[in-house]
Amino acid sequence: MTTCPTSYTCSDKGLILPLVSEATWPIGARATIYLIGLLWSFMAIAIIADIFMSAIAQITSYTQRVKIPDASETGYKEIEVRRWNGTVANLTLMALGSSAPEILLSIIEIVFNDFKSGELGPSTVVGSAAFNLMVICGVCVIGIPSSETRRIKKLKVFAITAVFSVLAYVWLIIILVVNTPDFVDLWEAIVTLLLFPILVIFAYILDKDYFGSSSVDDEEAGLEVDNLLSQEHADKQVIVEMLRRLKSNPDADEKEIARLTAHLMEQNQPHDRAWYRSNAIRKMTGGTPLTTPLTDKSSELLETLLIAEEAGGDPDFIHLSEGGKKAIIEFESPSTAVIEKEGRVRINIIRHGNLDRRVIFRVETIDGTAEATSDYKPLKETKVFEPKETLLPIDIEIIDDNVWEPDEVFFIRMTLEPDQQAVLGKHPVTQVTILNDDEPGTIQFANPSFLFKESVGCAQIKVERSNGCDGRIVAKWKTKDITAVGGRDYENTSGEVVFEHGELTKMIEINIKDDLEFEKDENFEVDLIEVDGGAKLGKLKRCVVTIVNDDEFAGFVDRIADLTNANLDALRVGKQTWAKQFEEALNVNGGDLETATAFSYILHFMTFGFKSIFALIPPATIWGGWLCFIVSLCCIGLLTAIVADLANVFGCLIGLEPEVTAITFVALGTSLPDLFASKAASTMEKHADSAIGNVTGSNSVNVFLGLGLAWVVASIYWTSQGVSFEVPAGSLGFSVVVFTICAIVTLILIVVRRFVGVFGNAELGGPKTPKMISGIFMISLWLVYVLLASLQTYEYIEGF
């Protein structure tokens, strides 16, 4: 009877794994299984890290009211500010949240390796630092749209964290290579750990500017926080303004408007590093996004807002990405007239919005009282707007039959071809009237009175031209108060309405002011006072406009506000109850199936088990987030131990040294969420702090906590045994030296970018060619680091 051997290839590389004997398994199969397990474990760590970050967000979210000087009668006003200083939170809890796997990996490796130094933990710390500084900064530099820039706002804090991030690795070189080669004394380990609170204290002092001028920025920061807190609930004035922009859009139902409102409010709020990291993780795992995704209907409403903005809306109402706009095409006029004897009518199609794309659409004529072939020649053609083209005329032939007929009409309709990055504007159909005379016509209002709700925003009063359409006509108009007061209830204006040759209808637009208070119905008068070009004023040269109060509209706004608040509540990083946690864990995209993609389903299927298990963790709302913090940290520690085993065994099976495995597979796996988070922050935020400002701080914390804490524990143990803690410099010392050189070069380039005009005077973005060169150079430095460190590990380069 044969038994499986207890020792076989790579069987001794793990602390926990392998769980069963793998002696008879093929090496290739084992390597594949361990690689899949390693990648899968990275997703598990990402999910638990998201929960960990939600606990940190809850802990740091508590606020207090403070008084600041004000010009009011009391001499001060109260604002609400967070108890945790932002810089301190970023360097302590936030940094711990993003670096927990690397820190725990180093600690676990030493504790479970008889307090001996391992290769995986320290190399992962250095490898992650290299990826974070060089790759993440390079990607963020390139990722900013051309001509845009992002500058670091808290420059003093960035400077001190950058200095400490270099000092941390210089200190490692002093310990491992210069002072006590290949050994770490207890005092050296303690100094390494104490550098962490020293960094936090220095950063806090510079953030508050205690040794500089009065901190205006700090006061502004408090105001910004107060503004952020106030925007956690829907502003009814914002909803009213949005409804004004949407006007009578038939797709504007309550749920879609609420979804769009929540989306825009969330897009315009500043976010911290934790928010971007959590959102990146949820996108990677098919979880609940922290932004409200738009459906097809709400996307169309967004395009309607863009049309309103193109027509002269307030550009500060919404800050929309230029890259998100679509082309908008429509007829220049809703109606046109032509004298039958002219034989041809020209219709203009205009384009605005995004002008960078090619747009294909179809134009066809439709009979009205005029009939194709007998009154006009039908048209059914495909038309194209080339990039940058804004005007496209089409000519339709009119048939002159020399027989008297009353005025007749036909229509021209446009439709978009499939998959076009464009939308139809206000006038997708135009009416063409065939006239039998050549008079300039009569100008008058379409109706003697018009009724508008106070919430309409802009009253459109229709003016018609009849009995001829020859020549260009200008009609002057003015308003007159009755019970409505100009300037309070409406804009008391005068102006001109211009009818070009052949045009039959025009609109006078008067802004109606909604004070959101109950009032009786009010009215004012609009008069046509003069017309030129030989035209005449008709009988309806005066009209009365009545403004009616809209109680139903107020209820409509309240319902949208409630739905918007529900959408915003769903975006909170932490959940209120276990039930809500399980609901989101068991459903793809957190239950928002309407916006879920096929990829979301795949990611959810791959991570369903982990999500279900981690839903057992106490919600962040219990005990102020601390219980969730502790339990999540324990789970990260367990998963980190498994990752360490998987990485060691996998590297052994394919012939990779642990140091190389650490700076490649493990470093990338733990740093990818930070890459996606920084990329999103670089484009969404006004400043570069959330994108790259935290990178240097995290790199410092990795050394001071990840290595310092582990080395203190090991040094105490070995000192009690009467010997020093041995940490062979070897490849680690060489890796640290190479990284330090590359890090200094990278930081110098970042500083140069800020002060040299060719780069746009900013750390991120700027002109296309310089930013591409900068970004590629930074990423190349990381490749150089990985290559040199790997070559030294395999002794192609002599180390220390």
Side-chain angles (χ1 to χ4, degrees):
M1 180 178 179
T2 58
T3 58
C4 292
T6 56
S7 179
Y8 48 90
T9 303
C10 303
S11 63
D12 60 342
K13 296 299 181 181
L15 303 175
I16 303 173
L17 302 177
L19 297 176
V20 298
S21 176
E22 302 171 2
T24 60
W25 298 9
I27 297 293
R30 291 176 62 198
T32 302
I33 292 172
Y34 275 92
L35 176 60
I36 294 173
L38 184 62
L39 298 177
W40 201 27
S41 296
F42 286 144
M43 299 188 76
I45 287 181
I47 294 171
I48 190 63
D50 175 29
I51 299 173
F52 189 50
M53 294 299 282
S54 71
I56 293 172
Q58 181 69 29
I59 292 169
T60 58
S61 67
Y62 288 99
T63 62
Q64 62 184 18
R65 299 195 69 83
V66 298
K67 296 178 180 180
I68 63 172
D70 184 64
S72 62
E73 294 181 0
T74 60
Y76 67 87
K77 70 174 180 178
E78 290 188 348
I79 64 171
E80 200 167 0
V81 297
R82 299 191 188 277
R83 294 179 181 176
W84 278 77
N85 174 266
T87 297
V88 174
N90 283 335
L91 289 176
T92 54
L93 294 179
M94 297 296 183
L96 178 61
S98 61
S99 302
E102 296 95 323
I103 295 171
L104 292 176
L105 178 60
S106 181
I107 296 172
I108 290 170
E109 186 177 42
I110 282 182
V111 172
F112 287 93
N113 194 33
D114 298 328
F115 296 97
K116 296 178 182 178
S117 177
E119 298 89 357
L120 198 66
S123 295
T124 299
V125 168
V126 182
S128 295
F131 185 88
N132 289 345
L133 181 60
M134 301 163 205
V135 175
I136 289 180
C137 289
V139 169
C140 289
V141 168
I142 296 173
I144 303 296
S146 296
S147 76
E148 292 187 20
T149 59
R150 302 288 187 275
R151 289 167 59 91
I152 290 176
K153 183 179 181 182
K154 296 186 177 182
L155 187 58
K156 293 181 180 179
V157 175
F158 176 76
I160 194 66
T161 56
V163 169
F164 268 77
S165 69
V166 174
L167 175 64
Y169 293 92
V170 172
W171 174 244
L172 290 184
I173 296 172
I174 294 173
I175 293 175
L176 299 176
V177 180
V178 179
N179 191 45
T180 54
D182 298 328
F183 289 93
V184 175
D185 290 342
L186 179 58
W187 73 269
E188 292 173 326
I190 292 175
V191 169
T192 304
L193 183 59
L194 288 179
L195 284 173
F196 171 64
I198 292 173
L199 165 63
V200 174
I201 292 170
F202 270 100
Y204 178 74
I205 290 173
L206 290 175
D207 180 46
K208 304 298 288 185
D209 207 3
Y210 283 134
F211 299 115
S213 57
S214 58
S215 181
V216 178
D217 286 345
D218 187 57
E219 212 173 88
E220 291 175 354
L223 293 172
E224 287 178 1
V225 171
D226 182 58
N227 185 50
L228 170 60
L229 294 173
S230 69
Q231 289 181 354
E232 288 180 351
H233 298 283
D235 186 342
K236 291 184 180 180
Q237 190 61 45
V238 172
I239 296 173
V240 169
E241 182 62 24
M242 182 174 293
L243 292 173
R244 286 174 176 169
R245 303 290 180 90
L246 295 175
K247 295 183 181 177
S248 58
N249 192 307
D251 294 325
D253 60 87
E254 296 176 10
K255 290 184 178 180
E256 297 301 332
I257 295 175
R259 179 183 288 273
L260 179 57
T261 305
H263 173 82
L264 293 176
M265 290 180 65
E266 186 62 36
Q267 289 288 322
N268 289 315
Q269 287 187 20
H271 300 291
D272 57 21
R273 177 75 176 183
W275 186 92
Y276 284 106
R277 198 173 195 276
S278 293
N279 197 38
I281 290 171
R282 296 184 184 196
K283 289 182 179 179
M284 290 170 58
T285 58
T288 308
L290 295 180
T291 55
T292 305
L294 297 180
T295 62
D296 291 340
K297 289 185 178 179
S298 53
S299 295
E300 290 299 319
L301 293 180
L302 179 58
E303 296 301 334
T304 303
L305 287 178
L306 288 172
I307 293 173
E309 190 170 306
E310 289 287 337
D314 181 6
D316 292 330
F317 172 60
I318 48 176
H319 307 288
L320 300 167
S321 170
E322 291 295 325
K325 289 186 179 183
K326 294 183 179 180
I328 305 164
I329 62 173
E330 59 183 327
F331 290 108
E332 188 176 40
S333 174
S335 63
T336 303
V338 58
I339 300 173
E340 188 179 62
K341 65 181 180 181
E342 290 187 353
R344 187 177 301 274
V345 61
R346 169 158 289 189
I347 308 294
N348 288 330
I349 301 173
I350 59 174
R351 176 172 71 164
H352 45 109
N354 193 313
L355 305 179
D356 297 330
R357 299 186 179 99
R358 192 169 187 260
V359 179
I360 305 174
F361 61 100
R362 294 184 62 82
V363 177
E364 62 177 329
T365 53
I366 302 172
D367 285 353
T369 54
E371 297 180 354
T373 68
S374 61
D375 295 308
Y376 68 93
K377 286 190 176 181
L379 176 70
K380 190 173 185 181
E381 295 180 355
T382 298
K383 299 290 184 180
V384 177
F385 267 112
E386 298 295 344
K388 304 302 181 183
E389 192 174 9
T390 58
L391 179 65
L392 188 65
I394 59 173
D395 292 326
I396 303 212
E397 187 174 341
I398 305 299
I399 300 174
D400 187 358
D401 51 14
N402 296 319
V403 177
W404 185 90
E405 294 174 306
D407 294 348
E408 299 173 307
V409 299
F410 66 94
F411 304 91
I412 309 172
R413 179 180 64 185
M414 69 170 68
T415 56
L416 290 170
E417 292 288 355
D419 302 324
Q420 298 298 300
Q421 292 296 313
V423 293
L424 298 178
K426 298 178 182 179
H427 306 135
V429 178
T430 186
Q431 174 183 295
V432 180
T433 303
I434 303 174
L435 304 175
N436 275 280
D437 58 57
D438 56 358
E439 295 294 327
T442 302
I443 308 298
Q444 63 180 5
F445 290 110
N447 298 297
S449 64
F450 294 86
L451 188 69
F452 297 101
K453 294 179 179 179
E454 190 180 33
S455 59
V456 71
C458 179
Q460 293 190 329
I461 302 167
K462 188 175 183 180
V463 183
E464 293 182 336
R465 181 186 194 179
S466 57
N467 301 324
C469 64
D470 188 36
R472 184 177 187 270
I473 299 298
V474 177
K476 295 182 179 180
W477 60 272
K478 67 176 182 178
T479 59
K480 180 180 179 182
D481 292 352
I482 302 180
T483 57
V485 178
R488 186 192 70 184
D489 301 308
Y490 71 97
E491 289 190 1
N492 187 12
T493 58
S494 60
E496 297 179 345
V497 57
V498 179
F499 289 85
E500 298 294 344
H501 174 70
E503 289 185 335
L504 296 177
T505 59
K506 284 290 183 177
M507 297 291 184
I508 294 175
E509 295 188 349
I510 299 177
N511 290 329
I512 305 298
K513 298 190 176 183
D514 187 356
D515 52 16
L516 297 178
E517 296 180 358
F518 179 81
E519 296 175 306
K520 294 181 179 180
D521 295 348
E522 300 168 314
N523 46 46
F524 62 93
E525 183 179 296
V526 183
D527 297 341
L528 292 172
I529 56 176
E530 183 182 338
V531 64
D532 67 0
K536 302 176 182 178
L537 289 175
K539 294 181 179 180
L540 297 179
K541 57 185 178 182
R542 290 191 181 94
C543 71
V544 175
V545 177
T546 301
I547 307 171
V548 298
N549 187 64
D550 189 3
D551 291 331
E552 180 185 353
F553 175 76
F556 184 59
V557 171
D558 288 339
R559 291 194 298 274
I560 293 176
D562 291 340
L563 289 170
T564 302
N565 289 330
N567 285 328
L568 292 173
D569 289 340
L571 301 180
R572 295 182 184 275
V573 176
K575 300 307 170 190
Q576 301 290 327
T577 63
W578 264 296
K580 188 65 177 177
Q581 288 186 170
F582 274 103
E583 178 186 341
E584 294 198 351
L586 298 177
N587 290 283
V588 66
N589 216 30
D592 189 3
L593 302 182
E594 194 173 1
T595 59
T597 63
F599 193 55
S600 300
Y601 280 94
I602 294 172
L603 292 175
H604 179 70
F605 175 77
M606 293 172 61
T607 57
F608 176 77
F610 293 127
K611 290 179 180 178
S612 302
I613 294 171
F614 296 148
L616 294 170
I617 295 174
T621 52
I622 298 177
W623 291 2
W626 286 106
L627 182 59
C628 179
F629 179 90
I630 295 170
V631 175
S632 299
L633 191 61
C634 294
C635 292
I636 292 175
L638 177 61
L639 282 170
T640 301
I642 296 174
V643 165
D645 279 8
L646 290 168
N648 276 323
V649 177
F650 170 70
C652 175
L653 289 171
I654 65 173
L656 277 182
E657 294 292 335
E659 295 90 341
V660 179
T661 304
I663 65 175
T664 53
F665 288 98
V666 181
L668 264 66
T670 56
S671 299
L672 277 178
D674 292 298
L675 172 62
F676 297 138
S678 291
K679 174 61 175 66
S682 67
T683 55
M684 293 177 62
E685 291 290 318
K686 296 180 180 179
H687 303 283
D689 299 70
S690 294
I692 64 170
N694 293 311
V695 168
T696 50
S698 295
N699 286 354
S700 305
V701 172
N702 280 355
V703 173
F704 301 150
L705 282 184
L707 296 183
L709 188 58
W711 285 358
V712 166
V713 173
S715 296
I716 291 174
Y717 173 81
W718 288 110
T719 301
S720 68
Q721 302 296 318
V723 296
S724 295
F725 173 43
E726 184 178 2
V727 182
S731 59
L732 176 61
F734 182 85
S735 176
V736 171
V737 170
V738 174
F739 165 74
T740 303
I741 295 172
C742 293
I744 292 173
V745 173
T746 301
L747 291 172
I748 290 174
L749 177 57
I750 290 174
V751 173
V752 169
R753 286 184 52 83
R754 182 180 181 92
F755 295 103
V756 176
V758 69
F759 295 107
N761 292 112
E763 290 83 359
L764 305 182
K768 184 175 181 180
T769 300
K771 81 172 180 180
M772 294 297 295
I773 293 174
S774 301
I776 293 173
F777 177 74
M778 292 180 187
I779 297 172
S780 299
L781 285 177
W782 175 73
L783 295 174
V784 169
Y785 159 75
V786 171
L787 178 61
L788 293 179
S790 300
L791 290 175
Q792 194 283 325
T793 301
Y794 289 102
E795 299 182 350
Y796 290 102
I797 300 176
E798 186 177 349
F800 298 106

